Every structure is written in structure tokens, then in C-alpha cells.
Amino acid sequence: MSEQKKVLMVCLGNICRSPIAEGVFQHLVRQKGLESKWMVDSAAVAGYHIGKSPDHRALTTMKSNGIAYSNKARQVKKQDFESFDFIFGMDEENISDLEGMAPANCKAKIGLLGDYDPQGERIIRDPYYDRGAEGFKKCYQQCLRSCTAFLEQHS
Ligand code: 4NP
């Protein structure tokens, strides 16, 4: 694989799940020295949190796993469907929203990140309304398993 491939991680708000997925993917790419082959970004289906940093529980979960994250939330735009190779949603609702937004000339392959989970947990549930950080830790583990398997399958 010579040219760089682009992956976009998407969830509803881009402040909980997709920043974790992006951070984990970026971390793995750096660990494996694959920066020339893969770039990753993340975005929201909804516009509620544009410009904001991730939820503090997402940042803490990443930090405790050695991941520094500084991107801010943005919304998915039409051009993303032409410029990215893979667009991953976290749950079925993300997928139906993305499919509804996709233009006719969509280049990206749209799918669930969890489809790559070797443990078969396909849905990465929304932890935003949880009281604690357990859902964020679980999201991290799911993202780690799926991103690891995805990179193994595509290298
Ligand atoms: P995310 O979580 O989609 O994983 O970023 C959410 C964040 C915010 C909201 C919903 C889900 N919200 O309704 O504001």
C-alpha cells in the first residue's frame, strides 16, 4: 500500500466515543510506525458540541492509557465522504445517519468500527449520560480491539 489511507471516526457528539477511537487509532499508528500509511480524524453527526474538547472522562481515559488528545469537535461534512477511505460509526444510528448524508459520489466505505472487534461486540454504546467513567473505559477497550484488528487486516 503506497498512498496514505484516511479513516474518519464518527459518533453523535464527537466528544465521547469518536475522540477515543481517533486517539486509539493514532496511538497504534505511531506505535507501529505507520504514519505514512494512515491518517485519522473524527467528527460528529450532530452539531451540539462543535468546537469543544472531549468530555473530561474521555480525556482522562485516554491520558491514563498514554494518549494525549487535543482536537476539538467538528461536524461531518459532505467533502468527508469523498476524501476519506473509511468512515466508521459507533452504533447503528450513526450508520443510518451517515448513509443518509452520503452523496452519490461517496468514496468512503461506511461501517461499524465494532465489526472488527475479535470479541464480536459490534456496538460501542454512548456513555455520555452515565454517572461515572466505566462506559468510557469500556469504549476504550472496544476501540483498542477493533482498531488493532483493522490495522492488522489492512497491512
Ligand atoms: P458521543 O456522546 O456521541 O459519544 O460524543 C454524546 C455526546 C453528547 C450528546 C450525545 C452523545 N448529546 O446529546 O449532547
Side-chain angles (χ1 to χ4, degrees):
M1 195 162 47
S2 53
E3 78 192 279
Q4 195 183 38
K5 295 280 182 188
K6 298 176 71 175
V7 175
L8 185 66
M9 304 295 189
V10 174
C11 62
L12 183 58
N14 194 206
I15 56 166
C16 300
R17 294 165 291 174
S18 59
I20 293 176
E22 178 194 356
V24 165
F25 193 94
Q26 183 65 61
H27 193 67
L28 290 171
V29 163
R30 287 201 184 122
Q31 270 183 347
K32 294 168 188 284
L34 296 172
E35 292 94 330
S36 64
K37 294 193 171 164
W38 295 100
M39 79 77 77
V40 63
D41 193 8
S42 67
V45 166
Y48 315 133
H49 300 284
I50 293 169
K52 287 196 201 160
S53 290
D55 184 286
H56 66 93
R57 295 166 293 179
L59 288 173
T60 304
T61 301
M62 285 194 270
K63 202 172 170 188
S64 64
N65 287 284
I67 299 173
Y69 186 93
S70 56
N71 285 353
K72 304 281 194 268
R74 74 164 177 92
Q75 202 164 8
V76 174
K77 48 184 192 275
K78 268 237 155 72
Q79 203 195 323
D80 293 329
F81 294 92
E82 295 150 42
S83 61
F84 283 85
D85 299 283
F86 297 90
I87 300 182
F88 289 128
M90 304 295 126
D91 59 32
E92 300 280 11
E93 200 175 2
N94 298 156
I95 300 301
S96 55
D97 286 340
L98 285 165
E99 284 172 348
M101 292 162 78
N105 62 343
C106 177
K107 175 181 91 172
K109 188 167 182 276
I110 297 169
L112 283 170
L113 180 62
D115 272 341
Y116 289 89
D117 186 350
Q119 292 186 21
E121 271 198 89
R122 298 179 69 235
I123 304 302
I124 302 178
R125 68 168 276 281
D126 180 3
Y128 182 59
Y129 293 104
D130 294 358
R131 272 174 185 265
E134 278 313 305
F136 290 79
K137 292 180 189 166
K138 179 169 169 129
C139 170
Y140 171 83
Q141 292 298 339
Q142 289 181 268
C143 290
L144 183 59
R145 293 198 301 268
S146 289
C147 292
T148 301
F150 173 85
L151 283 169
E152 274 169 12
Q153 279 182 36
H154 289 85
S155 58

